[in-house]
Amino acid sequence: MMTEVRFHVRGGTALRGTAVIQGAKNAALPMIAAALLATEGRTVLRNVPAIADVARAVELARLVGATVEYHAGDRLLIIDASAVANPLLPAELTRRFRGSVLFLSPVLHRCGEVTYEGAGGCNLGTRGLDFHYRGLARLGAHIEERGSAIWIKAGQLRGSELYLDTPSHTGTESLIIAATLTPGRTVIENVALEPEVLDVIAFLNAMGARITGGGTGRVVIDGVDQLRAVEHTIMPDRIDAGVLCMAAAITGGQVTLVGGDVIDHFGVAKHKLEQMGVHLASSGAVTTATRTGPLHPINIITDTHPGFATDLQPSLMALATQASGTSYLRERIHEARYALVSELAKMGADITVDGEKAVVRGPSTLSGTEVVARDLRTGISLVLAGLVADGETVVTNGSMIERGHSDLVSRFVALGAGISREELP
Ligand SMILES: CC(=O)N[C@H]1[C@@H](OP(=O)(O)OP(=O)(O)OC[C@H]2O[C@@H](n3ccc(=O)[nH]c3=O)[C@H](O)[C@@H]2O)O[C@H](CO)[C@@H](O)[C@@H]1O
Ligand SMILES: C=C(OP(=O)(O)O)C(=O)O
């Protein structure tokens, strides 16, 4: 039976305390998929985030034939992919998360073919998959549409010159994974530079892949015959960390982050938060985010890494409603990433949208009300807004938030937030 999750948020408290940054969603998903390439032995992934997308990926790995042990308390996965043999990736699972597209390449290599009925994930516009399919075709795969599904046959894959029209995050990972076991040399131009991609490359190279050029925009992969199961600790989630920093900022508090030196992964976002009046400091293995003075307005343009991360744009919009002046946002990665605007308007925010541009006039006094988590980052941004709103904010469709943020209530309550979780039948 489907249930609805709702988060009740009561504003007015400056957050103070320590929060553990979760493992990176956008590194865990490609690693679970890539672990299917190990034909013997068991892969151990540590620092796995306890989020719904990971649960979906585990389901999909099991469905294709892997044995997966999920030790949630230890944030640990053990994957035995020796029996992977099922090439069918069904829509009822794949359309529940974007990361399902990352299973195409491993299953293609293991089964010689794969049938895929499409990806899910946040509704942010078209979110095409043509870069993935074109790259696989250039490696020699045969691709055809079969009704609502895509059927891909490996045939004789050969190393080739590939490119991405734009540096797609999962497109990069998908094609690198495909090239690791493709005979010959593959070069991919215009690849993503996101830190998670580098973590995936490190994981694949530990498995025995031969990948160079990570972080340069041009990656070279020399195909090998086999990849082995290894142990790997997933990097911290920079988006989770950025949201926690903005939780401190929007409430005028101080949050200490444990789990990795993420400031280096913030890229332009670090400078934008500091310009708004957020103080970020690293002290040994911890990062502290503090805001004591006024919040200044800001201008941001989302871009691929190290540009301002699109996944942090909604949280920054919520923060900008409290800034003393007008902020200008420009969303250049996803076609439709302003679902937050109408929900913040219900709380009293003053935001206007013109195409990819949004203008946020602050400061606004926000009032708690019932709002909808239209997607993952809209949902968490409404929680941030609720932390500073008068009264209680009820964030409905809360399962969207749990797709990408773990232990929301326990981590925020530990910081002094008034937040609780309700599950409705
Ligand atoms: C599971 C995962 O890692 N999700 C992240 C990944 O999504 P994802 O990898 O899907 O995002 P992409 O970088 O591929 O997409 C960026 C843009 O490229 C377009 N595009 C992409 C692929 C393709 O084949 N054709 C095409 O046109 C998309 O429509 C979108 O407009 O990167 C996004 C951009 O940083 C993040 O918001 C997501 O959190
Ligand atoms: C867009 C996001 O995720 P996904 O690509 O998994 O939908 C996100 O993490 O903000």
Side-chain angles (χ1 to χ4, degrees):
M1 176 179 68
M2 289 295 286
T3 62
E4 185 196 1
V5 173
R6 293 184 170 194
F7 291 101
H8 296 257
V9 187
R10 288 165 299 285
T13 304
L15 299 195
R16 294 191 181 291
T18 298
V20 178
I21 307 165
Q22 70 182 33
K25 162 174 90 74
N26 293 347
L29 297 176
M31 288 176 191
I32 293 168
L36 301 180
L37 292 171
T39 53
E40 57 190 40
R42 293 197 286 174
T43 296
V44 175
L45 291 176
R46 294 187 178 279
N47 200 32
V48 177
I51 57 176
D53 274 17
V54 163
R56 299 291 79 75
V58 167
E59 264 183 85
L60 196 52
R62 286 172 177 155
L63 193 91
V64 299
T67 302
V68 184
E69 288 178 42
Y70 185 24
H71 299 262
D74 297 313
R75 299 288 187 266
L76 184 144
L77 273 177
I78 304 173
I79 302 170
D80 177 346
S82 54
V84 168
N86 174 12
L88 303 178
L89 305 181
E92 62 266 20
L93 196 42
T94 64
R95 288 196 180 282
R96 296 178 64 185
F97 66 119
R98 178 75 176 178
S100 61
V101 69
L102 295 157
F103 283 71
L104 283 181
S105 297
V107 173
L108 182 67
H109 273 299
R110 291 299 307 275
C111 303
E113 62 172 294
V114 60
T115 297
Y116 185 57
E117 295 182 317
C122 294
N123 179 10
L124 305 172
T126 311
R127 302 200 77 181
L129 293 173
D130 51 319
F131 301 168
H132 300 249
Y133 299 140
R134 186 188 310 122
L136 292 173
R138 288 174 70 90
L139 287 173
H142 169 72
I143 298 178
E144 66 183 63
E145 289 189 57
R146 289 186 171 179
S148 63
I150 294 283
W151 178 70
I152 306 175
K153 182 160 183 58
Q156 294 300 315
L157 298 179
R158 294 297 307 164
S160 308
E161 297 269 332
L162 310 185
Y163 65 90
L164 291 160
D165 295 72
T166 61
S168 161
H169 187 141
T170 54
T172 298
E173 292 161 341
S174 187
L175 296 179
I176 288 175
I177 290 170
T180 56
L181 290 177
T182 296
R185 170 163 286 193
T186 296
V187 178
I188 312 175
E189 300 275 5
N190 198 27
V191 298
L193 306 179
E194 271 69 10
E196 296 80 13
V197 172
L198 302 187
D199 202 20
V200 171
I201 289 173
F203 174 61
L204 289 165
N205 279 340
M207 292 176 74
R210 294 173 57 199
I211 307 165
T212 56
T216 68
R218 180 180 186 271
V219 168
V220 178
I221 306 105
D222 290 307
V224 296
D225 297 331
Q226 190 177 12
L227 293 176
R228 59 182 173 272
V230 295
E231 178 165 340
H232 184 84
T233 299
I234 295 165
M235 64 176 282
D237 191 317
R238 61 195 165 99
I239 307 302
D240 188 61
V243 164
L244 289 163
C245 288
M246 286 192 252
I250 203 168
T251 60
Q254 180 178 71
V255 171
T256 296
L257 301 178
V258 174
D261 185 4
V262 285
I263 289 184
D264 289 346
H265 295 157
F266 280 171
V268 166
K270 168 185 179 292
H271 305 291
K272 294 295 182 177
L273 287 174
E274 288 178 339
Q275 287 172 42
M276 291 187 82
V278 185
H279 179 63
L280 297 172
S282 285
S283 170
V286 305
T287 298
T288 302
T290 311
R291 199 269 294 183
T292 51
L295 268 177
H296 306 296
I298 197 72
N299 301 346
I300 66 154
I301 303 172
T302 63
D303 202 349
T304 54
H305 193 78
F308 192 98
T310 175
D311 294 354
L312 289 176
Q313 178 263 100
S315 297
L316 186 104
M317 178 180 280
L319 185 59
T321 67
Q322 303 307 299
S324 304
T326 302
S327 297
Y328 297 85
L329 283 59
R330 199 169 148 210
E331 173 55 57
R332 292 178 59 247
I333 301 295
H334 292 294
E335 295 155 358
R337 189 160 217 170
Y338 286 138
L340 177 62
V341 174
S342 57
E343 301 308 311
L344 285 177
K346 292 176 188 173
M347 299 176 72
D350 179 356
I351 306 169
T352 53
V353 172
D354 175 13
E356 60 181 33
K357 296 176 184 173
V359 179
V360 183
R361 291 175 180 81
S364 296
T365 299
L366 301 181
S367 301
T369 186
E370 189 171 295
V371 289
V372 183
R374 304 279 180 198
D375 56 65
L376 163 54
R377 306 306 173 178
T378 292
I380 194 64
S381 304
L382 289 168
V383 169
L384 296 190
L387 291 172
V388 75
D390 295 335
E392 180 180 74
T393 300
V394 180
V395 183
T396 65
N397 197 32
S399 59
M400 274 289 178
I401 303 175
E402 296 181 321
R403 276 196 49 223
H405 290 287
S406 67
D407 310 299
L408 183 70
V409 171
S410 58
R411 290 197 290 165
F412 273 66
V413 164
L415 297 173
I419 183 171
S420 59
R421 180 183 189 271
E422 176 192 17
E423 200 159 323
L424 299 174

